[in-house]
Every structure is written in structure tokens, then in C-alpha cells.
Amino acid sequence: MFLFVCLIAGLLANSFADDKDGGKAPSLQLNDGNTMPQMGYSFGIHHWDARDPNYSHSKCCCISAAEYMLSPFQIETAVTKALDAGYRLIDTAAVYGTEEQVGRALQMTTVPREHIFLVTKLAAYDKHDVVFALRKSLERLNQTYVDMYMIASPVSFTPDKSAFEEIDYVDTWRGMVEAKTPGLTRSIGLANFNITQVKRLLELSHVKPSVLDVEINLNLAQYKLVEYCKQNDIVVMAHTPLGRRFDHDSPGHYQLKDDPTLRGVGEKYGKTTPQVIYRYLIQRGLVPIAKLNSKTLEDIETSMDIFDFSLSDIDMKTLSLYNENYRSVHPKEWLNHPYYPFVDNS
Ligand SMILES: *[C@@H]1O[C@H](CO)[C@@H](O)[C@H](O)[C@H]1NC(C)=O
Ligand SMILES: *[C@@H]1O[C@H](CO)[C@@H](O)[C@H](O)[C@H]1NC(C)=O
Ligand SMILES: *[C@@H]1O[C@H](CO)[C@@H](O)[C@H](O)[C@H]1NC(C)=O
């Protein structure tokens, strides 16, 4: 009996990859000495998730969770569900309006805090005092530190969100470095920067970002940017990993979730189309960040079930053919800002 228990315990330990934390995803080494799980879950609710084409593009970037039909309680439950499913990278941002719910879920879970990789991001309208902005996030999260703090966008707005502000992201980066020193965040990174901007930052700063978080999915491969980051030892997080064409109505385009080729690839491995897409991104060395909305609540568990198979080279090639340099997320309210990043999608 004892032997049997040991055997089962051993099998379970092995099934959780090589991760000391007990999460299901393997760990990646960051350039600052920390490690990070290779799959994450984002608790952000953006207007680009909303199907209403008229949805407010006027002010800043987001709608509240409630407006996308998820109550704070549902978000807390979803965070708990993600942790139970083996997620250890939990992604939020000041602008998502979900930091408090994430914080409450972290209070409730039995997963120890030090096993969780908590990410939050500096809002585009809050760049005057980075350390103060992070302290406000920590207060909402009810945490003494986060594992990763990111500049959410190279674009800036005035604090009342009514107008553009031209704040050099290299100056903002100095504030990020300052936030890391007393341990308010263990690592620092960037989100939605393009290759020109990352290069300029590396030239002008002595501290490298550890991670770059950008949209990558079947329709937007971003090979040049990924290769550049790889050469510079920067890990790439792939947000919006299913892309907008997965299940949103986009005129003139079918939905990827119904694509027979992708379904066929999945059937070979006994996997769903989203699982195949996440696995494809994992095999490209990226960190997919699955995203919550009221439709994906049910898929949290299955989305983590991607570490027991490998796509063949031929299937990797098949999936690569969907690249069209087509970007899903390009907030209209960022357009015409001097640091607008999404000029070249190739
Ligand atoms: C969007 O706005 C237009 C013009 O105000 C209106 O005719 C249309 O019905 C709106 N669409 C939705 C989905 O609300
Ligand atoms: C914040 O965390 C502490 C423990 O670290 C806990 O005692 C307290 O209840 C939490 N506050 C809220 C508002 O959740
Ligand atoms: C990156 O953004 C800057 C500022 O908006 C722009 O000048 C540059 O062309 C962009 N580079 C690419 C590769 O898109």
C-alpha cells in the first residue's frame, strides 16, 4: 500500500513537469536570475473583447469587468480555478480593474504566495511616479511585492485620461528600475513595445527588461521581434494567443475555432483547437497568456492540459501558414501618439 502511494505521488510529481512550484507549466529562466512559468492566465477585460463595435473608444483603454458580464466574484472564482488547474502565472494590470479581485483570490487559495508569479502593469495614464503607481497596485492587490511589473504601453495619457502626454518610455523605465531596487517587484518588463522601441531602450538603459509582452497568435507571428528578444535574452509573453479571429466576428473572415485543418491537427493528438494553438506557441519558446472572458470561463482547466503532447514539425509548419501579420489588438485611442507602436506588423 505504502509503495502504491509512493508510486502515485511520484507519477503526480512527474506529471507537473520540472517545476518546483507544483504548477503544470515548465519554468523559464529570466535574464535577472528569476524564473517564470511558461503559461499564464490573464484577468483583463478589454473593450476589444466586447462585440459591440460602437464600444467606447473615446477615453482610455478599458471597460470594467462588470460591463463584460463577469462579476467580481466570478473573477475571484476564475483566479482560484486557474490556480487549481495548475496555473502559477497570474496576469493583471492597473487598467484592467481586476487587481482587488486577484488579491482576494490570492488570500483564499491554498497555493503558497511564493509559488505564484504575479504580474501587474503600469497604466498609460499613471507614469509620473512609477514607484507610487506600483504601491497603489500593491495596495489593491493586498501584496507586499509582485513578481513582474511591466510598462503596459509605450503610449502615455494625462492622468485624467483625456489627452495624450509625451513621456519618453526610457524615462519611465528608470522609474521601473527604481521600483525593483527595494523589492516592490522582483522583475521588470515591457508590454506592447515594438522592435525599434525595445532596441532604443536597450541602447539607452543599463538594465534590460526581462520580459516583453506582445500580441502573438496564429495570425500574427512577429518573427523578427521574437528573434531579436531571443538574441537579447528577453522572454516573450504572447498575449491574445487565440487572436481576434478565433471567435469574434470579423467581416470577410471565417472563425478559426471552426477551421477544419486546425480541428484535424487537434484530432490527431486528442486535443482541441485552442490547446493546439497554445502548444504551438509553447514550442516556439513563447509564454502564452490565456485570457478570461465570460465565454472562456469553462476552458480554464483544458487550456493548461497541453504539456503531455508535442506537435510534429509538419504540424508546426501547418500552423505557421496562418500567419498574415494580422493584428487583433490596436487600440484606436493610441493612434497618432508619437510613440504609437503598431506601425509595421511583419
Ligand atoms: C452603433 O451605432 C450606430 C450609429 O449610432 C447604430 O446605428 C448601431 O445600431 C450601433 N450598433 C450597435 C451594435 O449598437
Ligand atoms: C490582506 O492580507 C492580510 C494577510 O496578509 C489579511 O489578513 C487581510 O485580511 C487582507 N485584506 C483584505 C482586504 O483582503
Ligand atoms: C515603432 O514605433 C515607433 C514610434 O511610433 C515608430 O516610429 C516605428 O516605426 C515603429 N517600428 C516598427 C517596426 O513598427
Side-chain angles (χ1 to χ4, degrees):
M1 181 59 194
F2 179 65
L3 197 66
F4 177 72
V5 170
C6 289
L7 194 69
I8 295 293
L11 283 174
L12 282 175
N14 279 335
S15 72
F16 287 129
D18 62 349
D19 197 323
K20 63 183 185 311
D21 296 338
K24 271 195 184 172
S27 281
L28 293 180
Q29 186 68 46
L30 301 181
N31 61 23
D32 61 5
N34 296 325
T35 58
M36 172 176 147
Q38 205 190 346
M39 175 85 187
Y41 210 97
S42 181
F43 297 88
I45 316 288
H46 299 90
H47 65 71
W48 51 75
D49 292 321
R51 279 163 179 267
D52 180 358
N54 294 346
Y55 202 86
S56 163
H57 286 294
S58 55
K59 291 242 169 161
C60 200
C61 338
C62 286
I63 60 173
S64 74
E67 286 171 281
Y68 201 52
M69 293 172 296
L70 279 176
S71 68
F73 175 73
Q74 280 176 302
I75 291 174
E76 279 171 46
T77 310
V79 175
T80 309
K81 214 171 155 180
L83 290 166
D84 289 346
Y87 277 98
R88 291 295 177 269
L89 194 171
I90 301 294
D91 177 81
T92 181
V95 80
Y96 298 169
T98 56
E99 288 177 314
E100 287 173 13
Q101 291 92 311
V102 167
R104 277 200 295 275
L106 296 190
Q107 291 297 322
M108 295 182 314
T109 180
T110 55
V111 178
R113 170 66 184 92
E114 60 274 21
H115 290 187
I116 297 169
F117 192 95
L118 178 59
V119 181
T120 196
K121 309 186 198 80
L122 174 70
Y125 51 79
D126 206 9
K127 295 189 181 172
H128 290 274
D129 186 341
V130 175
V131 173
F132 185 65
L134 175 52
R135 286 191 192 282
K136 284 189 289 181
S137 276
L138 289 172
E139 213 168 284
R140 286 187 293 265
L141 287 160
N142 194 18
Q143 296 289 318
T144 55
Y145 73 98
V146 289
D147 296 273
M148 170 68 66
Y149 196 44
M150 290 180 154
I151 303 180
S153 140
V155 167
S156 306
F157 292 88
T158 54
D160 69 359
K161 306 171 195 171
S162 68
F164 284 154
E165 201 165 21
E166 195 176 330
I167 301 178
D168 190 333
Y169 47 84
V170 176
D171 292 332
T172 309
W173 186 248
R174 285 195 199 97
M176 300 294 284
V177 173
E178 203 189 313
K180 190 176 183 228
T181 310
L184 299 176
T185 179
R186 297 191 67 213
S187 296
I188 47 179
L190 309 171
N192 299 307
F193 278 54
N194 71 29
I195 189 166
T196 322
Q197 295 168 329
V198 179
K199 275 183 185 165
R200 180 169 172 263
L201 189 85
L202 292 193
E203 276 159 21
L204 298 179
S205 172
H206 64 288
V207 181
K208 263 190 192 183
S210 297
V211 172
L212 174 68
D213 176 25
V214 288
E215 175 184 342
I216 299 182
N217 46 53
L218 284 194
N219 297 137
L220 185 66
Q222 303 239 53
Y223 292 120
K224 277 188 282 189
L225 183 57
V226 171
E227 183 52 33
Y228 179 76
C229 287
K230 201 170 156 192
Q231 280 163 11
N232 286 282
D233 199 15
I234 297 169
V235 166
V236 179
M237 259 165 63
H239 78 62
T240 322
L242 299 181
R244 202 164 188 272
R245 285 184 180 160
F246 180 74
D247 60 1
H248 285 65
D249 310 313
S250 42
H253 284 274
Y254 58 82
Q255 300 188 0
L256 282 180
K257 75 174 166 48
D258 300 326
D259 184 282
T261 306
L262 294 177
R263 198 182 305 135
V265 171
E267 276 163 10
K268 272 203 266 180
Y269 302 94
K271 296 290 174 186
T272 63
T273 298
Q275 287 173 324
V276 164
I277 297 173
Y278 294 137
R279 182 70 211 179
Y280 168 77
L281 297 170
I282 293 277
Q283 287 180 222
R284 281 190 60 199
L286 306 167
V287 181
I289 306 293
K291 189 154 65 176
L292 182 69
N293 66 45
S294 46
K295 297 194 301 295
T296 56
L297 242 141
E298 297 313 313
D299 301 334
I300 291 179
E301 282 150 30
T302 54
S303 63
M304 239 316 169
D305 202 5
I306 55 170
F307 296 103
D308 57 353
F309 78 113
S310 281
L311 294 168
S312 68
D313 291 348
I314 291 169
D315 291 328
M316 287 296 287
K317 172 82 186 157
T318 302
L319 266 73
S320 76
L321 298 177
Y322 287 82
N323 181 37
E324 296 175 37
N325 302 328
Y326 170 83
R327 190 180 292 278
S328 298
V329 180
H330 39 85
K332 280 190 191 137
E333 59 275 3
W334 294 5
L335 258 179
N336 302 320
H337 189 283
Y339 295 130
Y340 181 76
F342 306 135
V343 180
D344 175 4
N345 295 330
S346 68

